[in-house]
């Protein structure tokens, strides 16, 4: 399993409005990837893109902007 493949799956889940969990990723990837490995990829993804995701979400919902960004401070 490659990081790029998992990151693409995370993006697909998010675009579909689904929360990316190890279980959701495993299902999306056809049962491939252990939960531990998928969780590591999720952590890597959030480290790289989490702040951007929070900023985009806050732009659409200004009322929750402070709460979302505070989680990534």
């Amino acid at each position: 399993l490659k990081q790029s493949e998992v990151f693409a799956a995370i993006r697909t889940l998010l675009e579909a409005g689904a929360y990316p969990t190890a279980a959701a990723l495993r299902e999306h990837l056809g049962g491939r990837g252990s939960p531990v490995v998928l969780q590591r990829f999720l952590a890597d993804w959030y480290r790289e893109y989490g702040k951007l995701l929070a900023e985009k979400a806050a732009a659409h919902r200004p009322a929750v902007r402070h709460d979302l960004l505070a989680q990534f401070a």
Side-chain angles (χ1 to χ4, degrees):
L1 212 53
K2 294 181 181 180
Q3 182 187 52
S4 60
E5 184 178 11
V6 177
F7 279 23
I10 292 169
R11 183 180 180 126
T12 299
L13 289 171
L14 288 169
E15 288 172 349
Y19 188 77
T21 64
L25 282 171
R26 188 168 159 76
E27 182 178 332
H28 182 78
L29 294 166
R32 294 181 303 125
S34 75
V36 172
V37 169
L38 293 172
Q39 194 59 47
R40 284 186 196 140
F41 280 131
L42 273 168
D44 291 344
W45 189 90
Y46 276 108
R47 255 190 307 280
E48 191 166 337
Y49 298 107
K51 186 173 181 176
L52 177 63
L53 177 65
E55 289 170 352
K56 285 186 176 189
H60 293 294
R61 293 187 178 164
V64 297
R65 185 175 198 280
H66 182 273
D67 291 340
L68 280 172
L69 292 176
Q71 292 179 20
F72 294 100

